[in-house]
Amino acid sequence: MRAGWGIVAMAAMMAASPVMAATAKRAAFGTLADGTVVEAVTLTGANGVSARIITYGATLQSLNAPDRAGKVADITLGYDDLAAYVAKTNYFGVTVGRYANRIAGGRFTLDGKAYQLPKNNGEASLHGGTRGFDQMVWRITEVKQAGAVASVTMALTSADGDQGYPGKLDVTVTYSLDDTGALTIDFGAATDKPTIVNMTNHALFNLTGNPAGADVYGHRLTMPASRYLPVDANLIPTGELKSVAGSVFDFTRGRMLSDGIRDGQDPQIVAGRGWDHNFVLDKGATAEPLLAARVEEPTSGRVLEVLTTEPGIQFYSGNFLDGTLVGKQGHVYRMGDGLALEPQKFPDTPNQPKFGSARVDPGKPYHHRMIYRVSVAR
């Protein structure tokens, strides 16, 4: 009886202990030149995983995770201070919108009316234009601690005509971290007139926790995607949904990134300087998030799984990191120091009907749920 009572009492104490519950802490992160204060919210789970989100760009500024020895390290690329995020538009960890990825010519037509967006990536509009959601200061609407989950919700309003897009758009993003190491990101948007929306997170990861000492080519990537979207010289999808079979784009059974990253015989690798392509997930669009990618780093044992409700995922192998960026802890970021896995609708969908639709109408809000789930392989 006494031993049994002791076990029950111990369990009760652990359940009640704040150490075993996810926490959310709010603090200042810096001040913009116009006096606007940028805040940070740090979410921490019981297993040592923590995420810091800043209101500038609703950005995932850090994601800390333990390795198999229990050593915790930041597995994302980015900057230590606000000034660097403002000065350098590199999309590290940001919330991307209104439209993630590229729109050819910066143009699309909706209900017979043509819209012109800023061309900020050659002849394309990229990640929402010259001042997308990544460069806006979001407002915190809620910070919660509820047992095994801690969360923060941020919001902004994008005016009708902002960056050329139609409709006033009320946008929210909620980051929720639980005690299992799952960081769920919910994107929502409601409009007052027909428009297009495609939102995602643009974190770049290096699971070694030390991008100054190791690139990501020793990571193993698995994606349940039997097709991908080839691109032209401007990285715009050609419209083909091509089988990955027999190519360096086949990650269906798992592939080390060192296997194919420099395969100059594949014209698509040449076009992207590596992988910078959208993969067609076999699951398609789903009501609940399903697995889109799994990354394993054998030395640290860290594992990252990406889940999403969206039909595609952009895999970018850090090809345009050229040594000109100095990031966290003074690290110089070079080619291959990070990888991005961005769940989303297909690039240029508004101009390519067979890709589906990115349309959002009044009374029918947009929602995308994605999850970054970190763990350790023993």
Side-chain angles (χ1 to χ4, degrees), residues 277-306:
H277 297 75
N278 202 270
F279 285 74
V280 181
L281 296 171
D282 295 338
K283 72 176 188 65
T286 50
E288 295 298 326
L290 296 179
L291 185 68
R294 176 183 171 92
V295 187
E296 303 162 82
E297 201 289 300
T299 302
S300 68
R302 292 188 182 95
V303 176
L304 170 70
E305 293 176 307
V306 184

Side-chain angles (χ1 to χ4, degrees), residues 165-244:
Y165 290 91
K168 179 174 79 75
L169 202 68
D170 292 310
V171 188
T172 61
V173 59
T174 299
Y175 289 85
S176 305
L177 180 68
D178 67 24
D179 282 341
T180 70
L183 179 66
T184 300
I185 310 176
D186 280 286
F187 305 96
T191 184
D192 63 356
K193 67 172 63 171
T195 190
I196 59 171
V197 180
N198 183 30
M199 295 175 63
T200 193
N201 182 270
H202 199 291
L204 269 77
F205 295 95
N206 185 317
L207 300 188
T208 68
N210 181 22
D215 56 40
V216 296
Y217 300 147
H219 292 40
R220 181 180 180 85
L221 173 63
T222 305
M223 290 191 289
S226 56
R227 295 176 295 170
Y228 78 102
L229 305 182
V231 296
D232 62 20
N234 297 311
L235 300 182
I236 301 294
T238 62
E240 179 184 7
L241 278 66
K242 187 174 183 178
S243 171
V244 301

